[in-house]
Amino acid sequence: RLELVWQESRSRAVLAAFRHTASGQLLYVVCCHLEGAPWKVASRVSQARSALDRIALDQRRRGVEAGECCLVVAGDFNSEEDSAVCRLLGAGELSKEYRDPWAPDVELSKECCTHNFVLQDLYARTRSGPLRRRPATFCAPAARPTFAAIDFVFYSPRTLRRVAVREPFTEEQLEATRVVGVPSEWHFSDH
């Protein structure tokens, strides 16, 4: 059903474009694992910007508009929903004055960062409204485990429709995680 028409590797991201064989619709996908050091906020922003810039370049080469194509940006952002990367993806811009809560003293860019994609956080809303809480995707093992959502899926709502949202952990898994953290015997990943 999908034909690979373009792919490229960037720093900490793999980019691809697929053509839906029946409709001819293009689907762009970014799968990323952004820089993990908490103080390297600017690197994470740069990695996300680079991926979006490369997709925009491929779209220009094909003569297609950003709003006509499907886009999914998914992966481990190594930051939470109030981060600069999430703000850039969701708002379409990041002012040069913006400071990331993880590293408020770090300058992210000398200029305003923008992109032409309309993206929405998959977990931000359900059909009935906002989620009661963002589901945790990570748990740092410690005397008091720290749960956080650092994995995200952004998509283009003009061309894609969300039909379901999956909770990363069941209530039983969350309870088990509180005791041992992840990775664990029942969950091989650290998130």
Side-chain angles (χ1 to χ4, degrees), residues 57-156:
L57 177 61
D58 187 73
Q59 289 177 338
R60 283 193 301 275
R61 287 178 180 156
R62 293 177 192 283
V64 296
E65 295 291 323
E68 297 173 6
C69 297
C70 304
L71 174 59
V72 175
V73 179
D76 179 348
F77 291 5
N78 274 311
S79 56
E80 295 186 55
E81 65 186 307
D82 58 353
S83 72
V85 170
C86 287
R87 183 172 181 96
L88 173 63
L89 293 175
E93 67 178 3
L94 193 63
S95 73
K96 62 183 180 180
E97 293 84 20
Y98 183 81
R99 295 297 183 259
D100 191 284
W102 281 31
D105 297 330
V106 174
E107 180 181 64
L108 302 176
S109 180
K110 299 271 185 216
E111 57 191 34
C112 180
C113 309
T114 63
H115 65 79
N116 292 324
F117 303 102
V118 175
L119 297 171
Q120 184 174 337
D121 180 351
L122 181 71
Y123 283 89
R125 298 184 58 81
T126 65
R127 290 177 194 220
S128 59
L131 289 173
R132 67 181 194 282
R133 64 170 173 78
R134 173 172 289 283
T137 61
F138 172 77
C139 178
R144 291 188 66 207
T146 303
F147 288 91
I150 62 172
D151 303 280
F152 294 88
V153 178
F154 280 80
Y155 72 103
S156 52

